[in-house]
Amino acid sequence: MTPHVGGRRCNLDWHHLELERLLEVSSAWGLFHWVYAEALQRGYRVGAAANSDEHQGHCGGGVPATAVFGSRGELTGVLAERFDRAGVGRALRARHTFATTGEQTFASLSQGTHLMGDVFTAEPGLPLEYRLLGDAGWEQVELYDGERLIWSRDLHQELGFAEGRIRLRLGGAQIKDRYRGAY
């Protein structure tokens, strides 16, 4: 089971520790970092998931603004040792997942042998390592502890902005209920 926001948001008061290992942070309805941050504040240990929820059966292929949906179809990535039912099941239960907004992107975070989703005591001298892959490049990387931003890297600023181009950035839903679009 994966709680999600969708048309109506999930009620985190009803969280089931054993059955709900992932929480949807993005769908065709928008981006929901706030629900993930709220789950972490409550002490829940959940991994990230993203699903298209566009009702057409095209995993990751939903288009923006279909009906009342406002963003591109999303996908959940699973970091499994083996690509079979048992391997994927173990990875899902271990929260070894990442969420992508439907583009061909991949992001991972680790420290030593520990992957994102693991619960462990961090080793102070051992650095956090991240890996970013994608077909169109990355704009910005941010690391959060719940709602608190603890590290950020603006890759566009580091590389220099293009002359004569305008970059428009949309920030996501600000209203937590249905029909949250801004017009």
Side-chain angles (χ1 to χ4, degrees):
M1 293 181 355
T2 305
H4 84 141
V5 174
R8 291 162 198 84
R9 61 186 149 139
C10 61
N11 184 342
L12 292 178
D13 291 340
W14 298 342
H15 175 64
H16 192 290
L17 178 67
E18 292 300 314
L19 296 177
E20 298 173 347
R21 300 294 182 98
L22 305 177
L23 181 66
E24 187 179 72
V25 298
S26 182
S27 76
W29 287 95
L31 306 174
F32 315 112
H33 174 261
W34 53 267
V35 76
Y36 195 72
E38 182 180 335
L40 295 178
Q41 283 177 330
R42 291 170 177 245
Y44 301 163
R45 292 180 174 164
V46 289
N51 302 289
S52 54
D53 195 18
E54 46 78 54
H55 305 195
Q56 303 295 318
H58 305 126
C59 294
V63 296
T66 303
V68 296
F69 301 158
S71 64
R72 187 171 171 83
E74 280 69 0
L75 293 170
T76 300
V78 180
L79 306 173
E81 290 181 18
R82 294 182 51 183
F83 187 58
D84 60 15
R85 184 181 180 116
V88 171
R90 276 191 300 276
L92 289 171
R93 284 186 295 281
R95 300 172 305 274
H96 290 168
T97 62
F98 66 95
T100 176
T101 55
E103 305 305 328
Q104 295 178 18
T105 59
F106 167 80
S108 69
L109 180 66
S110 62
Q111 185 183 44
T113 60
H114 301 289
L115 296 175
M116 56 190 181
D118 288 343
V119 177
F120 65 99
T121 301
E123 297 179 40
L126 198 58
L128 285 173
E129 296 179 12
Y130 65 92
R131 185 168 187 195
L132 307 173
L133 302 173
D135 63 341
W138 289 77
E139 182 175 316
Q140 189 163 337
V141 182
E142 296 178 338
L143 184 60
Y144 285 85
D145 180 4
E147 288 279 6
R148 186 172 60 95
L149 177 66
I150 58 175
W151 181 81
S152 179
R153 184 171 176 195
D154 187 334
L155 300 172
H156 278 199
Q157 186 175 23
E158 288 178 22
L159 294 173
F161 297 108
E163 292 291 324
R165 292 192 175 207
I166 296 173
R167 180 90 177 149
L168 177 64
R169 183 184 294 179
L170 303 176
Q174 298 298 314
I175 300 169
K176 296 180 180 180
D177 288 311
R178 209 164 212 200
Y179 308 114
R180 61 188 64 81
Y183 304 99

